[in-house]
Amino acid sequence: MSVFVLDKRKKPLMPCSEKRARRMLERGRARVHRLVPFTIRLVDRTQAESVVQPVVVKLDPGATTTGMALARVEEGNAEPTHHVLHLAELPHRGRAIRAAMRQRAAFRRRRRGKNLRYRPARFDNRRKPKGWLAPSLRHRVETVVSWVARYRRFVPVSQVAMERVRFDTHALAAPEVAAKGGIAYQQGTLAGFEIREYLLEKWERSCAYCDARDVPLQIEHIIARSRGGSDRVSNLTLACEPCNRRKDAQAVETFLAHDPKRLARIQANLQKPLDGAAAMNATRWALWRMLCATGLPVECATGGRTKWNRSRLDIPKTHALDAACVGVVGRVANWQRPTLAIRCTGRGAYSRTRLTAHGFPRGHLTRQKRHYGFQTGDLVRAVVAEGVHAGTWIGRVAVRATGSFNIRIGTQTRQGICWRNCIVLQHGDGYAYETSSQR
Ligand SMILES: [Zn+2]
């Protein structure tokens, strides 16, 4: 994993290798600034004295997880080479937020009902401003924007690239796609990947003839090519392999003679015009706008291009590597590196009352969050000399007023470790981290 490097005024420099960082620390030229993501600070260098190359933050916003990658851009004659510096994945808490808000609403409803027997309904007196996002979606946008801001503190970021739409409508409408002898979309071309993404979106990722999902889907000509059917997207759908083989060159009317409802649905769907807005959901749009507001140049890419890059460069599919493949890129280098798993933990609840599942108070949290110099979420090292917990433990702490703490190491928790055995390695910042190679 690359090590982030800051100058003596805490301005970002180019990241370096672990080996180089170790050597600089040994020689006393650097101090450890932060443990995760590992960052060092040079004691004798300023940003003005150093060479800073262009670095791009690449984002693949997903429904459950957003992949993030940092890459050094090497401009070549043709398309740039991206040298991956850092990979990270940020799962979103959308479901948890939704559940918490529903529970809060239910508790409030109960409390109102308790003191006020009747009140006229006023459920439709709220007006949502334009661009309003549900809290669970806003969280998605805001955590990603906040991570871009963080990366700007560690690395000299010069641009952002994000996947904003699933496919490029211009690529589909281009006449040469249809003109290229009809095989343009089959031979792993960019236009082919854009068409595939478009069809997946339009036909809801299922077979048009049997609704099969999660099976390999093939591009299928409604009017077979042998009968003079064109390769335009208005003649294409998706079918699973058995259906595709069974239909063969039959006319769709004959093939679906037994199922007129489905036939009508398919024909109606074929008439639907290309709609770029359908491929762009509100969250990605909001994310794009907020990233533009940071003042960095934002490159907008398509999902089709990401997939094309990934298959062309033979890179496996993960959220972080998808992010590394976003945008116009000739080659992606150094992608074989561990991924930092970032988990949103927050900084504790505002409410100081713990409730049972039915909304009755169960206990109260202390008024202050800090105990013996520790706060829940801090990364601590506990050295325990004897007893059941004998050993050295490094992990995320959960504090108690009694001074008997819990330490979470990976997935397991050590309960009841005395605060006297602990020291803080890094204060909590609202996130928990895990690397595939834990240092
Ligand atoms: Zn099928």
Side-chain angles (χ1 to χ4, degrees):
M1 213 165 201
S2 285
V3 174
F4 295 145
V5 183
L6 305 180
D7 77 350
K8 65 178 183 185
R9 307 225 160 83
K10 299 179 188 171
K11 293 273 184 291
L13 304 176
M14 289 308 286
C16 71
S17 67
E18 289 185 17
K19 187 179 173 188
R20 206 180 139 109
R22 207 175 302 126
R23 208 181 304 148
M24 285 199 283
L25 288 168
E26 277 163 9
R27 290 185 186 157
R29 278 196 58 203
R31 304 272 181 276
V32 175
H33 182 79
R34 212 187 138 85
L35 281 178
V36 222
F38 194 62
T39 309
I40 60 170
R41 194 175 65 239
L42 301 186
V43 292
D44 58 355
R45 187 86 78 79
T46 61
Q47 202 181 34
E49 301 159 3
S50 318
V51 180
V52 172
Q53 290 150 298
V55 174
V56 57
V57 178
K58 310 184 82 179
L59 303 169
D60 172 29
T64 57
T65 304
T66 289
M68 303 190 286
L70 291 173
R72 176 168 63 81
V73 183
E74 186 191 318
E75 297 289 349
N77 298 331
E79 287 172 339
T81 299
H82 283 186
H83 297 266
V84 176
L85 301 167
H86 174 88
L87 294 172
E89 282 178 2
L90 180 67
H92 299 303
R93 293 182 57 234
R95 266 168 206 279
I97 290 174
R98 189 181 141 89
M101 305 260 324
R102 286 178 83 99
Q103 193 182 43
R104 186 181 77 178
F107 290 163
R108 284 181 171 173
R109 203 169 301 132
R110 189 195 67 80
R111 284 205 296 272
R112 285 199 204 102
K114 186 182 163 199
N115 299 322
L116 189 72
R117 289 281 177 79
Y118 177 73
R119 185 172 64 179
R122 47 173 214 180
F123 50 84
D124 57 355
N125 67 346
R126 308 286 197 274
R127 200 158 285 143
K128 283 168 184 155
K130 200 162 172 277
W132 179 89
L133 283 177
S136 54
L137 302 181
R138 211 176 66 202
H139 147 86
R140 236 195 260 178
V141 175
E142 284 177 350
T143 43
V144 173
V145 171
S146 129
W147 266 95
V148 172
R150 270 154 183 266
Y151 282 137
R152 291 183 78 182
R153 291 209 301 272
F154 303 142
V155 185
V157 173
S158 57
Q159 52 173 312
V160 181
M162 69 169 284
E163 194 182 298
R164 198 179 62 163
V165 289
R166 289 217 188 267
F167 53 86
D168 181 8
T169 38
H170 298 290
L172 302 179
E176 65 266 27
V177 174
K180 262 186 195 163
I183 42 168
Y185 59 86
Q186 289 174 334
Q187 290 181 341
T189 58
L190 175 56
F193 276 84
E194 301 282 14
I195 288 182
R196 244 195 110 75
E197 281 303 299
Y198 166 76
L199 291 174
L200 283 169
E201 193 71 19
K202 186 173 179 179
W203 298 95
E204 294 170 355
R205 288 166 198 277
S206 58
C207 171
Y209 302 133
C210 71
D211 296 333
R213 284 171 164 274
D214 302 318
V215 292
L217 294 172
Q218 300 175 339
I219 293 181
E220 144 79 10
H221 290 70
I222 298 281
I223 305 172
R225 244 183 304 161
S226 56
R227 292 174 170 244
S230 85
D231 287 311
R232 290 191 164 273
V233 286
S234 52
N235 187 38
L236 299 177
T237 180
L238 292 170
C240 66
E241 210 223 322
C243 287
N244 201 351
R245 204 148 7 99
R246 261 190 297 127
K247 177 173 175 286
D248 199 27
Q250 287 178 63
V252 68
E253 290 81 6
T254 342
F255 181 62
L256 289 179
H258 65 284
D259 193 351
K261 262 191 195 160
R262 184 183 292 275
L263 179 65
R265 207 169 61 218
I266 289 176
Q267 277 168 340
N269 205 11
L270 281 175
Q271 297 306 316
K272 266 205 305 195
L274 304 179
D275 187 6
M280 177 149 64
N281 58 42
T283 341
R284 287 183 175 194
W285 181 249
L287 177 62
W288 175 72
R289 269 203 300 233
M290 279 180 83
L291 288 173
C292 286
T294 61
L296 287 169
V298 183
E299 179 193 342
C300 296
T302 65
R305 187 180 280 275
T306 305
K307 272 196 183 168
W308 178 61
N309 284 337
R310 193 157 50 69
S311 82
R312 186 171 52 101
L313 302 168
D314 202 17
I315 294 175
K317 175 163 177 61
T318 70
H319 292 289
L321 289 174
D322 256 350
C325 292
V326 160
V328 180
V329 53
R331 200 165 69 87
V332 175
N334 301 341
W335 55 265
Q336 301 92 337
R337 48 176 72 243
T339 302
L340 179 69
I342 304 170
R343 190 161 51 86
C344 300
T345 56
R347 294 165 199 268
Y350 170 76
S351 164
R352 300 280 85 191
T353 310
R354 278 287 155 98
L355 301 167
T356 63
H358 305 290
F360 291 104
R362 191 186 69 183
H364 298 279
L365 299 175
T366 54
R367 204 159 256 233
Q368 85 263 28
K369 287 185 180 172
R370 189 172 283 275
H371 294 288
Y372 307 97
F374 297 87
Q375 193 169 333
T376 297
D378 290 349
L379 181 69
V380 301
R381 177 168 58 213
V383 182
V384 185
E386 54 189 10
V388 280
H389 295 310
T392 301
W393 310 105
I394 296 176
R396 206 182 113 87
V397 75
V399 302
R400 289 207 205 105
T402 57
S404 161
F405 294 169
N406 294 348
I407 297 182
R408 182 171 153 153
I409 307 125
T411 50
Q412 53 160 308
T413 307
R414 294 252 147 205
Q415 297 193 338
I417 291 185
C418 179
W419 69 272
R420 283 193 186 82
N421 296 322
C422 301
I423 56 163
V424 176
L425 299 178
Q426 178 171 306
H427 283 294
D429 59 356
Y431 296 92
Y433 306 93
E434 258 165 64
T435 323
S436 31
S437 64
Q438 194 71 255
R439 70 177 61 244

